[in-house]
Amino acid sequence: MGKVYLVGTGPGDTGLLTLKALKIIKRADAVIYDHLINPEVLNLLKPGCERIYAGKKPYVSSIRQNEINKIILDASNKFDITVRLKGGDPFLFGRGGEEAELLKENNIDFEVIPGVSALIAVPEYAGIPVTHRDVSHGIIAATGHNVEKLNIPSLGENKSSYTLVIFMGSKHINEIIDKLLFLGYSENTKIAVIENGTHKDQRVFTGTLKTINYEYSEDPALIVVGDVVSYHEKFGRKNNKFKKMLIFYEFKKINVDYENYGVNIINFRISDIFINNDVKFRFNRNLVISGNYIGYFMKLIKKMHIDIRNFNSIITDDPEELHRAGIFNIIDLNNYNISDDDNIIGFNHKNELNIIKKTLIKIDNYIIDLINSSDYIVFADGTFSYYDIIKKYIKNQIVCAFGISDNINGIMKMNKKEDLIKLLEAEKIE
């Protein structure tokens, strides 16, 4: 029987992931994850880690807690390290306490790794301090998923001295406002609704209980009530209109900041990649290697104790990647004709030396939701080979692909990162 970690990933921005959470996530043999997990956190999982989606999408029929409990117990019996991955903090409206009780009752070793909570982080990213010596002396946290059960203590004349933070209440905001007014809150009480908190596409709607103009969307949102909301105008950033671009990759993320073009980029690793330990190199021959494979090649030769000097010249389409590894005896592939005698890594050739093995990650509802919520789908880094599997989930998005010979079936050919920038400029996204 293995150990289970209840891990909080924070409210969305991957920069808020704690070092301890990062360490455990990278070691996990199985990860049971929620709907609100930032997809780029899943890129951190080691190859072969079992991914189990147990998301609860608000107001949508989804997996029940007793089913999740069974998944956790089954995983603990099968894997050495199981991570129950949750947005925010595991215990704050995350049912982590219930899951900890389950593990305790079944004598399963477990540990809780706290996460940065949306309670403080989401308002702070919106420029709202939930406490302030001159304005608010405390915080009340509640969940608004069920308005009838919304339990807000009677504070009498001290209402203005506390900040009220309501999770999962944006769909019922009108009913929540009515209840607050019934409890004696003034209609001039300030209120903010923060959508997609801590993400690039965060949006903040402010007003009073009387004037707030907010229309529910399916994006996750937090409600903040109290005088501290006024600080949003002083500290908060303006709302930006973002479209979403989902980039599938295998080896390398496309690390370009498209924020100036009004796009929120999500890089998602679509394959598990394993080093093939059975590779047999031919020494005293040239080595022809794709830039995508260089990182894996360096790991492999280190593991196999192979001296790079056992090869003759090294030929690649990405000299800079080898320069970073401290190797400079390089020939540019554009000036070389590949021979059957060469060690060929990562190119489509009859004598290709496969130093890696690739396995497509299971396409579950989480990935399908990512696709459906995106405006652009980009197949980068050789992933177009998976297009036939993924295309049935693509609707009206703009689809681009690197490495195809020409535009095909409405799919735009991309040769380099700059082509994406040209596309975004042409679309005039603001």
Side-chain angles (χ1 to χ4, degrees):
M1 185 176 291
K3 184 172 182 177
V4 176
Y5 293 85
L6 305 177
V7 179
T9 64
D13 184 340
T14 54
L16 298 178
L17 192 67
T18 68
L19 292 175
K20 189 168 186 179
L22 177 63
K23 179 181 177 181
I24 295 300
I25 288 168
K26 287 184 173 182
R27 292 175 54 204
D29 301 307
V31 166
I32 304 163
Y33 64 102
D34 280 350
H35 177 71
L36 293 179
I37 297 300
N38 187 321
E40 296 210 353
V41 173
L42 300 180
N43 296 337
L44 302 170
L45 302 179
K46 68 183 182 183
C49 176
E50 183 84 11
R51 301 181 179 210
I52 306 170
Y53 176 52
K56 291 185 175 183
K57 204 172 178 182
Y59 313 110
V60 175
S61 177
S62 57
I63 188 168
R64 296 181 180 275
Q65 186 62 41
N66 60 349
E67 297 175 83
I68 295 174
N69 290 349
K70 185 177 185 306
I71 291 171
I72 294 172
L73 294 178
D74 289 345
S76 70
N77 285 315
K78 185 178 178 182
F79 300 100
D80 290 333
I81 298 178
T82 297
V83 170
R84 174 69 172 113
L85 209 56
K86 294 173 169 289
D89 178 81
F91 280 4
L92 189 59
F93 300 126
R95 300 219 173 178
E98 298 173 40
E99 292 169 358
E101 286 181 315
L102 170 80
L103 296 167
K104 183 70 174 178
E105 290 168 1
N106 287 273
N107 297 313
I108 296 170
D109 188 19
F110 74 94
E111 183 177 341
V112 181
I113 299 180
V116 174
S117 174
L119 176 69
I120 55 172
V122 167
E124 283 183 15
Y125 268 59
I128 300 173
V130 287
T131 64
H132 190 291
R133 186 171 62 172
D134 298 330
V135 179
S136 173
H137 300 155
I139 310 166
I140 299 170
T143 172
H145 184 72
N146 187 327
V147 180
E148 293 181 2
K149 295 183 179 180
L150 180 61
N151 187 13
I152 300 171
S154 176
L155 299 173
E157 296 180 356
N158 295 320
K159 289 183 180 64
S160 61
S161 297
Y162 288 83
T163 301
L164 175 60
V165 180
I166 302 176
F167 291 70
M168 299 172 285
S170 57
K171 185 176 183 180
H172 305 299
I173 187 168
N174 293 328
E175 294 95 321
I176 289 171
I177 289 173
D178 289 342
K179 184 156 188 175
L180 293 176
L181 293 172
F182 174 77
L183 291 172
Y185 280 79
S186 165
E187 63 180 16
N188 294 319
T189 302
K190 293 179 174 59
I191 183 172
V193 182
I194 308 166
E195 279 188 349
N196 295 316
T198 77
H199 289 271
K200 285 183 180 179
D201 52 350
Q202 172 181 289
R203 294 197 301 166
V204 184
F205 304 84
T206 60
T208 66
L209 296 183
K210 181 180 180 179
T211 66
I212 183 70
N213 182 18
Y214 171 75
E215 184 175 344
Y216 170 73
S217 72
E218 291 188 359
D219 291 326
L222 193 77
I223 298 172
V224 181
V225 180
D227 290 341
V228 291
V229 169
S230 61
Y231 287 94
H232 169 69
E233 302 302 325
K234 295 181 180 180
F235 308 143
R237 65 174 188 242
K238 293 181 179 180
N239 292 345
N240 291 312
K241 295 180 181 178
F242 280 97
K243 289 191 175 182
K244 185 183 289 185
M245 176 180 286
L246 176 61
I247 302 180
F248 290 120
Y249 78 98
E250 286 186 320
F251 300 95
K252 295 180 183 178
K253 296 180 181 180
I254 297 184
N255 291 318
V256 176
D257 186 1
Y258 296 106
E259 192 165 342
N260 293 332
Y261 301 94
V263 176
N264 182 26
I265 301 293
I266 296 174
N267 281 286
F268 191 81
R269 180 168 59 82
I270 199 64
S271 300
D272 273 340
I273 300 170
F274 305 85
I275 293 177
N276 184 356
N277 295 319
D278 297 327
V279 164
K280 302 297 181 184
F281 292 105
R282 290 171 291 179
F283 297 129
N284 300 315
R285 309 284 181 91
N286 288 343
L287 178 70
V288 183
I289 185 166
S290 162
N292 284 337
Y293 286 66
I294 289 172
Y296 293 89
F297 172 72
M298 299 306 293
K299 290 179 183 177
L300 184 63
I301 63 171
K302 182 178 180 180
K303 185 175 182 179
M304 297 174 67
H305 303 288
I306 293 175
D307 190 330
I308 193 71
R309 292 171 295 183
N310 286 333
F311 304 104
N312 292 340
S313 297
I314 300 177
I315 299 93
T316 185
D317 56 349
D318 191 354
E320 290 185 6
E321 189 70 21
L322 279 172
H323 290 166
R324 282 190 283 270
I327 300 171
F328 298 94
N329 181 25
I330 302 166
I331 298 173
D332 192 309
L333 183 63
N334 292 322
N335 302 318
Y336 183 81
N337 293 319
I338 297 177
S339 164
D340 288 346
D341 291 331
D342 296 328
N343 293 295
I344 303 168
I345 300 175
F347 294 103
N348 187 16
H349 189 275
K350 64 181 180 180
N351 288 329
E352 178 178 351
L353 186 63
N354 295 311
I355 68 166
I356 64 165
K357 299 175 180 178
K358 299 184 292 185
T359 303
L360 177 68
I361 288 168
K362 180 184 177 183
I363 307 297
D364 57 20
N365 288 334
Y366 182 82
I367 298 176
I368 293 170
D369 280 347
L370 279 180
I371 294 170
N372 290 338
S373 63
S374 298
D375 301 288
Y376 299 85
I377 308 293
V378 178
F379 292 90
D381 191 20
T383 59
F384 188 67
S385 59
Y386 303 123
Y387 174 72
D388 285 341
I389 299 171
I390 296 172
K391 67 180 180 182
K392 60 184 174 183
Y393 307 114
I394 297 174
K395 306 301 182 185
N396 300 313
Q397 297 92 333
I398 295 174
V399 181
C400 310
F402 287 79
I404 58 176
S405 57
D406 205 350
N407 294 348
I408 53 173
N409 299 326
I411 301 168
M412 299 180 63
K413 174 187 176 183
M414 293 285 159
N415 290 319
K416 51 188 177 181
K417 291 183 288 189
E418 287 73 16
D419 289 342
L420 277 176
I421 293 177
K422 291 178 182 178
L423 167 66
L424 300 180
E425 288 176 338
E427 290 288 309
K428 297 182 179 179
I429 300 173
E430 298 178 355

